[in-house]
Amino acid sequence: MNIVIAIDGPAAAGKGTLAKRLEAHFKLSKLDTGLLYRATGSKVVSGGGDPQDAQIAEACARALDPAELDNPDLRSDEAAQAASKVSAVPGVRAALLDFQREFAKNPPPLADGSPAQGALLDGRDIGTTVCPDAQVKLFVTASPEIRAKRRFKELQERGLEAIYARVLDDMKERDARDSGRSASPLAAASDALQLDTSEMDADQAYAAALDFINAKKLF
Ligand code: DC
């Protein structure tokens, strides 16, 4: 049986940290699907295009090379905003769907060459649209203020200038776009474990996820 773990939720809720720990613990191949949208958005912007231009955005999504996902520039806030815009274009979502499903079905081997025990995908619509049959679905969330605080701290630690009020506004703008779009909006699957990390640290979120997964006796 090919095991798939789907992790969804808004930006800076703690998905990435949780995903990394579960990836290592269960020996899974992980796909951060946000990178697909970030790479698409960045490709549009670097070509001088408008990320809301459906035709250009879809063409860039179709031309995406997985090797482009390793570019560290994709972590920037500019890339995040461009990603959020292209991700509302239905043609972009359709273009990226096959790649994500193929990854879930045939997860690539681990870094040491050994076979993966399954796939872990994190994003916004994995449990609802990309992998509705995933055996494990987690929906990780936290209040916008807490998420903005975490993001602000992270920017400061990276030596980047940031203003908290601006980070919070950007976060709310992105939330509204990701949840309000008609094509596959950010939403929790009905069978997902909801983890609100507002009052939880990374260890507590990981422990709750492990309990939920272990109870399913998949591994
Ligand atoms: O997870 P992230 O911050 O890297 O995602 C960047 C943007 O990409 C996010 O604002 C919405 C979009 N996205 C999406 O629409 N669907 C996904 N499965 C993952 C990301």
Side-chain angles (χ1 to χ4, degrees), residues 45-94:
V45 173
S46 65
D50 172 359
Q52 272 153 332
D53 181 324
Q55 239 179 343
I56 297 178
E58 182 177 341
C60 287
R62 295 212 178 272
L64 209 64
D65 175 350
E68 293 167 42
L69 303 181
D70 297 330
N71 182 353
D73 293 348
L74 298 182
R75 303 273 164 210
S76 71
D77 278 349
E78 291 71 32
Q81 289 293 346
S84 178
K85 288 176 187 158
V86 294
S87 71
V89 175
V92 167
R93 306 203 72 84

Side-chain angles (χ1 to χ4, degrees), residues 15 33-34 37-38 83-84 87 93 123-125 174 178 181:
K15 291 189 309 270
T33 64
Y37 294 92
R38 286 172 182 257
S84 178
S87 71
R93 306 203 72 84
R124 301 289 187 287
D125 62 339
R174 196 139 75 95
D178 293 348
R181 67 178 179 230

Side-chain angles (χ1 to χ4, degrees), residues 20-151:
K20 267 192 208 132
R21 293 177 77 165
L22 294 175
E23 171 192 17
H25 182 81
F26 290 112
K27 299 190 170 27
L28 306 169
S29 238
K30 178 168 79 74
L31 178 64
D32 171 355
T33 64
L35 286 177
L36 300 170
Y37 294 92
R38 286 172 182 257
T40 303
S42 298
K43 218 181 171 74
V44 175
V45 173
S46 65
D50 172 359
Q52 272 153 332
D53 181 324
Q55 239 179 343
I56 297 178
E58 182 177 341
C60 287
R62 295 212 178 272
L64 209 64
D65 175 350
E68 293 167 42
L69 303 181
D70 297 330
N71 182 353
D73 293 348
L74 298 182
R75 303 273 164 210
S76 71
D77 278 349
E78 291 71 32
Q81 289 293 346
S84 178
K85 288 176 187 158
V86 294
S87 71
V89 175
V92 167
R93 306 203 72 84
L96 300 177
L97 193 57
D98 286 350
F99 179 80
Q100 296 174 80
R101 288 200 172 141
E102 180 53 32
F103 186 101
K105 208 166 134 201
N106 292 307
L110 303 178
D112 65 4
S114 60
Q117 302 302 302
L120 185 158
L121 284 81
D122 76 271
R124 301 289 187 287
D125 62 339
I126 309 304
T128 51
T129 305
V130 179
C131 302
D133 297 330
Q135 294 89 340
V136 176
K137 298 180 188 176
L138 305 172
F139 192 81
V140 185
T141 183
S143 73
E145 288 74 17
I146 297 270
R147 290 187 286 117
K149 253 184 223 157
R150 289 178 188 158
R151 182 78 187 128

Side-chain angles (χ1 to χ4, degrees), residues 158-171:
R158 279 165 50 195
L160 299 169
E161 239 177 78
I163 300 165
Y164 171 74
R166 174 88 201 277
V167 175
L168 178 60
D169 279 352
D170 283 356
M171 191 73 77

